[in-house]
Amino acid sequence: MSLDDILSLAVNELEKMFGARNHSRNILPVEVHSNVPQVFYPNKKNIRVKIGNSCLNENHRAYYQLGHEAVHLLSPVDFEVTTVLEEGVAVWFSHDFMKRHSGVTWDSSGDDRYDRAWHLVELVLDESEAALKDIRDKFGCFSPLTADNILEIVPKLDRQVAINLAERFHN
């Protein structure tokens, strides 16, 4: 399966889980580079995912990185606006996507901040399996949201967890 096919599969799975993308940007072919995985906006009509060159030799890593970045394609926002919730959903989905399609399981992302975000999203899912879809149905995005937005959908969630999820991830 090509990198573009993997990304397309991830986006399709996410749209089935959380609803359609809320933009009409054309998704350009995946680019491999020597930096960290990222979503780029070359212009107002296009969007591109760039992943690390290690994905060329490690198929499971391609599933992981493309699964993660696919979450950011649902409702693209500026890097500075991305919430802990959105990054946590991206980590949660990327682990699941990689496991289902490559058979590889990791118990960590390798970065404490991303693992914390993942753990917080799991607390949301413990309260309600439908919470992420309900959040997206109501607000159309995972970023930006407030703690009150999150608590509106998951009222039994600890308020401090909601506050942490609504924080900007890239401070």
Side-chain angles (χ1 to χ4, degrees):
M1 188 174 276
S2 75
L3 296 175
D4 294 324
D5 290 339
I6 294 170
L7 180 60
S8 179
L9 177 63
V11 169
N12 288 336
E13 287 186 15
L14 285 162
E15 287 183 322
K16 286 179 185 168
M17 293 169 75
F18 304 131
R21 294 182 291 140
N22 66 1
H23 65 92
S24 59
R25 287 185 173 116
N26 179 44
I27 299 174
L28 297 173
V30 174
E31 188 174 305
V32 178
H33 67 164
S34 60
N35 208 335
V36 296
Q38 298 172 337
V39 172
F40 285 85
Y41 308 94
N43 56 51
K44 291 182 181 187
K45 294 182 180 182
N46 296 303
I47 192 166
R48 169 170 276 150
V49 171
K50 293 184 180 184
I51 58 173
N53 54 20
S54 61
C55 294
L56 294 175
N57 299 324
E58 299 176 62
N59 194 44
H60 65 281
R61 202 171 290 278
Y63 280 96
Y64 185 85
Q65 290 186 17
L66 291 168
H68 183 107
E69 298 307 324
V71 170
H72 301 308
L73 297 180
L74 291 175
S75 314
V77 295
D78 289 335
F79 181 73
E80 307 83 37
V81 177
T82 306
T83 58
V84 170
L85 173 65
E86 182 167 331
E87 288 296 349
V89 171
V91 176
W92 168 79
F93 179 76
S94 63
H95 280 266
D96 179 64
F97 187 68
M98 177 181 68
K99 179 181 178 181
R100 286 186 292 106
H101 293 288
S102 75
V104 174
T105 302
W106 290 340
D107 60 1
S108 171
S109 68
D111 183 310
D112 290 341
R113 289 181 59 223
Y114 285 92
D115 287 346
R116 176 180 171 269
W118 178 21
H119 171 70
L120 291 169
V121 165
E122 287 180 328
L123 294 175
V124 170
L125 293 171
D126 287 347
E127 289 297 326
S128 169
E129 289 183 18
L132 299 177
K133 180 172 181 0
D134 293 346
I135 287 169
R136 203 138 180 285
D137 285 348
K138 171 94 178 175
F139 301 106
C141 62
F142 296 121
S143 296
L145 292 177
T146 66
D148 287 337
N149 294 149
I150 296 166
L151 290 168
E152 183 179 333
I153 304 300
V154 193
K156 293 182 180 178
L157 187 67
D158 180 90
R159 181 160 193 76
Q160 188 58 53
V161 171
I163 290 168
N164 292 345
L165 286 163
E167 290 174 353
R168 301 295 177 251
F169 187 82
H170 303 284
N171 290 340

